[in-house]
Amino acid sequence: MDNSGVAAILSKMALLLEFKGENPFKAKAYERAARNIRGLGEDIGEMYRRDRLSEIPGVGGAIREKVREILDTGTFKAYERTAAEVPPGIFGILDIPGIGPKTAKLLYEKLDIRSVDGLLKAAIEHRIRRLSRMGPKQEEKILRSVQRYQSSGEPGRTPLATADPITEEIKEQLRAFPFIKKVIAAGSIRRRKETVKDIDLIALSDVPAKAMDGFLHLQKVTEVIEEGNTLSSVLYDNKIRVDLRIVPEESFGTLLQHFTGSKEHNIHLRKLALEKGYKLNEYGFTDIATNVIKRCAEEKQVYDHLGLEFPVPELREDRGEIEAGMQKRLPKLIEVEDIKGDLHVHSNWSDGEDSIEDLALSALERGYEYIAITDHSHSTAIAGGLSEKRLLEHTKAVSSIDEKFEGIRLLSGTECDIRPGGKLDYSDRVLQELDIVIAAVHAGLDQDRKTMTKRIVSALENEHVDILAHPTGRKFGKREAYDVDMEKVLQAALDNDKAIEINSSPSRLDLNDINAGMARKMGVWLAINTDTHRLDNFNNIRYGIDVARRAWIEPQDVVNTRHIKDFVSLFRIE
DNA sequence: GCCGTTTTCGGCCCGACTGTTTTCAGTCG
């Protein structure tokens, strides 16, 4: 089982403990352990084998034993015992926004509500309002929340690339109001997380009431979820929840810091503040001895006050950035401008829309020094994969077009299928003619972990392969990553001097931030590519860079930050 | 259940908003 599988069971245990009303700190302990395992840059199974589970923060003696049990048996006895005591539908109920463990417990004990459907029925029949602490408004709120939950399938997270334009649209409208001085996105959007639950905005205004009113009446607001003086929350365009907080100028920095999160980062920061004698909240530092409040207009002052180097938002996940900040050893992260070329580009020779000439021109305009034209191989027939004969014609075409362009080097390449048995789609004789060979899995995705791992590793052992593309195959909303031992794959890449791709396509982002972080720690080369199929796809590089930054990646970790001269010598291209 | 440069026991981040409440519990981030 992989890290997220182990974390999922521990999270469910936390929910069960909360539901049962046990010591809330015990539930929190399970949740914390789950979170840290999920965000671990190492394979949990490997840590178990090396007897290093106790190194994980939040994993003490008891949870360590449970993790061992999960890895050995797929579950643990205490969980099975606890889960057997409650109806399985409880997890669905707890998933509904606004319903927490206390409410779920009340509904179960008093009304025998065991599922989301049962909850809906009880709300319609007005049985909920009669319970203590409930009332008509609560009942109505639950009803709406259930209906929204059922109509959207699940509360769901929105891919960052979908949320970005919506955020810009709202910011633009808010900025048009004369009484709003400044609007900035905080939360997971600012941390550039791959998916976001909601859009967090903070705004400066001298007339908060007017600002809030303007927000609540934006044209595409479909529902007001919460309404307050400093904080309101709406459903925007029936798609995504948007929170707006109006903040005073003198505390802007502290508030921005607070609302950027992550929650885990903030908790750690506040503990640190307490150790130094301050209570930290979104308004500033309160000196516990004197009760004097220090507010920060600039975000950096918050970190300065604690003696920390400033961590960019992408780092704020409590994955070591606070410790590194204390030692002033934060990484100097890669930026979009560091990218000098794109190594994964499709032309109209296969399933791309544009000619090689147009791709070259567009890349040149972006200031790139090189791109590799990597059309599909023949197994991917649905994408117009090239036969060996066509590939050789393709290669000739690339070099003749290359001669026409000054200032950019066109590299001949392929995105070559790794067949189910591990063989490549082209013979070595053909592959050796190419400048860049990308290997990738496109079909036969349901192989078991061992077979898939062996398949990919054998491709990495081929001397002509340069890069492994989209290493886990996941696509948002379409399919999960296939089962593969990422640590073994990365080790094979390291042993054979291959690069691993961070695919910037917004539906892929593969590697993700956790796996990319693992690759970086192991010292594996990375390539950040767009997998362009249409000229404007080149812009997606931003999203690959986001992933890389969240993985603490610096320019020197990435092969395509090299200038052309260094790049061709690194890949031994003539 | 975890954790410790005041602690191996007694804490565990902090506040806004809502609804049902005459002072607060539950949920969320």
Side-chain angles (χ1 to χ4, degrees):
Chain A
M1 191 180 306
D2 64 5
N3 296 25
S4 59
V6 174
I9 297 180
L10 295 176
S11 284
K12 283 176 109 176
M13 183 65 177
L15 279 176
L16 288 174
L17 292 171
E18 277 195 276
F19 176 76
K20 291 186 64 182
E22 299 213 3
N23 179 359
F25 294 107
K26 187 168 163 181
K28 278 196 172 65
Y30 272 95
E31 189 48 49
R32 173 160 185 252
R35 206 169 52 228
N36 288 334
I37 288 170
R38 207 173 283 125
L40 206 61
E42 281 181 74
D43 182 61
I44 185 95
E46 192 56 32
M47 290 190 80
Y48 171 33
R49 282 188 287 281
R50 293 183 190 159
D51 199 21
R52 291 177 46 220
L53 291 175
S54 298
E55 293 174 21
I56 303 167
V59 175
I63 293 184
R64 184 187 64 224
E65 290 313 307
K66 270 134 195 165
V67 170
R68 286 182 176 163
E69 207 181 326
I70 294 169
L71 289 167
D72 287 337
T73 70
T75 182
F76 64 99
K77 289 200 197 75
Y79 170 74
E80 292 300 323
R81 214 167 36 237
T82 317
E85 293 170 19
V86 306
I90 288 298
F91 289 113
I93 294 176
L94 288 171
D95 220 17
I96 292 172
I99 299 195
K102 296 288 189 341
T103 309
K105 187 164 192 261
L106 180 75
L107 294 167
Y108 174 55
E109 287 177 346
K110 300 290 182 194
L111 297 176
D112 197 36
I113 290 171
R114 298 159 174 265
S115 66
V116 176
D117 287 334
L119 178 59
L120 183 65
K121 192 156 173 279
I124 291 170
E125 292 169 358
H126 297 315
R127 282 184 282 138
I128 293 173
R129 60 175 65 187
R130 293 199 290 269
L131 299 175
S132 65
R133 299 218 153 273
M134 291 291 158
K137 282 193 176 170
Q138 277 285 19
E139 190 177 71
E140 174 64 19
K141 207 170 145 187
I142 288 173
L143 181 62
R144 270 189 303 149
S145 195
V146 171
Q147 285 168 337
R148 198 158 53 220
Y149 175 84
Q150 289 191 325
S151 68
S152 67
E154 51 174 330
R157 298 183 64 92
T158 305
L160 181 61
T162 308
D164 267 345
I166 300 174
T167 307
E168 286 310 311
E169 179 181 302
I170 299 172
K171 276 164 73 177
E172 209 167 293
Q173 294 175 76
L174 292 177
R175 282 187 187 127
F177 291 129
F179 38 82
I180 291 185
K181 279 201 266 184
K182 187 165 166 182
V183 191
I184 187 164
S188 41
I189 296 241
R190 185 161 181 246
R191 300 201 313 281
R192 308 306 293 160
K193 209 171 161 180
E194 63 181 31
T195 60
V196 302
K197 195 166 167 220
D198 55 17
I199 296 173
D200 281 304
L201 297 173
I202 71 177
L204 270 183
S205 175
D206 295 329
V207 258
K210 268 190 158 176
M212 211 41 111
D213 192 60
F215 172 64
L216 295 175
H217 290 91
L218 290 181
Q219 204 183 355
K220 289 194 191 165
V221 167
T222 30
E223 188 180 332
V224 175
I225 300 169
E226 267 178 38
E227 187 179 346
N229 293 329
T230 60
L231 161 67
S232 289
S233 179
V234 302
L235 186 65
Y236 190 80
D237 203 14
N238 256 325
K239 276 187 199 143
I240 188 164
R241 181 177 164 138
V242 183
D243 291 354
L244 177 69
R245 291 160 166 107
I246 309 286
V247 309
E249 196 147 11
E250 66 271 19
S251 297
F252 187 80
T254 338
L255 281 150
L256 178 60
Q257 192 289 317
H258 171 79
F259 292 123
T260 296
S262 68
K263 187 173 156 185
E264 292 74 28
H265 175 86
N266 285 354
I267 288 174
H268 194 156
L269 215 58
R270 285 170 187 186
K271 282 183 185 160
L272 192 65
L274 281 174
E275 285 168 21
K276 293 180 184 275
Y278 301 99
K279 191 180 73 160
L280 173 61
N281 63 20
E282 57 260 59
Y283 301 108
F285 293 94
T286 307
D287 188 315
I288 293 169
T290 63
N291 249 352
V292 173
I293 298 177
K294 175 188 165 56
R295 298 175 205 282
C296 305
E298 300 290 333
E299 192 180 38
K300 186 171 175 297
Q301 298 172 326
V302 177
Y303 293 96
D304 283 346
H305 197 69
L306 292 169
L308 297 183
E309 192 180 352
F310 180 78
V312 297
E314 293 93 320
L315 292 176
R316 300 183 199 166
E317 299 290 342
D318 196 21
R319 292 184 191 147
E321 74 281 5
I322 291 177
E323 293 82 351
M326 284 183 199
Q327 299 164 5
K328 318 269 182 198
R329 290 173 59 180
L330 285 170
K332 174 143 187 1
L333 299 179
I334 187 167
E335 296 175 18
V336 170
E337 292 70 29
D338 292 318
I339 296 293
K340 299 292 184 280
D342 199 324
L343 304 171
H344 189 165
V345 176
H346 295 272
S347 76
N348 56 9
W349 281 64
S350 64
D351 62 347
E353 287 183 14
D354 301 286
S355 66
I356 296 173
E357 287 89 344
D358 286 347
L359 289 161
L361 200 59
S362 176
L364 187 61
E365 281 168 1
R366 301 184 68 85
Y368 282 170
E369 299 176 18
Y370 48 94
I371 53 170
I373 309 296
T374 53
D375 281 302
H376 289 284
S377 63
H378 56 88
S379 279
T380 313
I382 197 169
L386 309 178
S387 66
E388 291 207 338
K389 184 162 166 281
R390 282 278 286 163
L391 175 64
L392 293 173
E393 291 167 20
H394 180 263
T395 304
K396 275 189 199 151
V398 170
S399 46
S400 80
I401 295 165
D402 178 46
E403 285 173 16
K404 286 196 276 179
F405 279 89
E406 283 287 319
I408 185 160
R409 170 83 188 265
L410 298 190
L411 302 167
S412 63
T414 176
E415 180 178 11
C416 183
D417 251 52
I418 307 171
R419 293 181 188 164
K423 276 215 161 98
L424 293 170
D425 220 8
Y426 292 126
S427 63
D428 285 352
R429 184 180 54 83
V430 171
L431 292 176
Q432 71 178 3
E433 299 296 317
L434 306 174
D435 296 326
I436 292 290
V437 174
I438 294 181
V441 167
H442 290 100
L445 306 176
D446 49 6
Q447 291 182 325
D448 64 56
R449 184 180 179 90
K450 213 173 146 194
T451 311
M452 183 61 89
T453 306
K454 199 168 159 229
R455 175 182 180 183
I456 295 175
V457 166
S458 66
L460 287 169
E461 286 168 348
N462 181 300
E463 59 171 324
H464 301 299
V465 168
D466 299 299
I467 300 169
L468 174 67
H470 42 73
T472 77
R474 67 106 172 241
K475 278 192 164 181
F476 286 119
K478 277 196 178 163
R479 60 173 190 246
E480 296 287 308
Y482 37 71
D483 198 8
V484 63
D485 186 336
M486 187 49 64
E487 196 150 326
K488 278 214 176 80
V489 168
L490 294 175
Q491 190 60 49
L494 190 65
D495 294 343
N496 294 284
D497 286 340
K498 311 295 187 190
I500 299 286
E501 181 180 76
I502 295 177
N503 188 296
S504 309
S505 169
S507 61
R508 289 191 183 270
L509 300 183
D510 179 16
L511 297 176
N512 66 12
D513 53 357
I514 304 286
N515 284 329
M518 199 192 297
R520 174 190 56 82
K521 274 192 212 156
M522 289 172 69
V524 179
W525 280 339
L526 291 149
I528 307 179
N529 299 324
T530 57
D531 200 351
T532 281
H533 285 77
R534 213 176 57 206
L535 293 181
D536 64 0
N537 289 168
F538 278 129
N539 293 324
N540 290 335
I541 193 70
R542 155 102 200 256
Y543 293 98
I545 294 289
D546 286 338
V547 171
R549 288 170 65 84
R550 289 176 55 80
W552 296 48
I553 286 170
E554 302 181 86
Q556 66 269 23
D557 302 323
V558 176
V559 293
N560 50 326
T561 57
R562 308 285 197 279
H563 288 290
I564 181 66
K565 195 161 159 275
D566 299 332
F567 181 81
V568 293
S569 88
L570 186 67
F571 280 83
R572 293 186 291 276
I573 296 169
E574 292 172 10

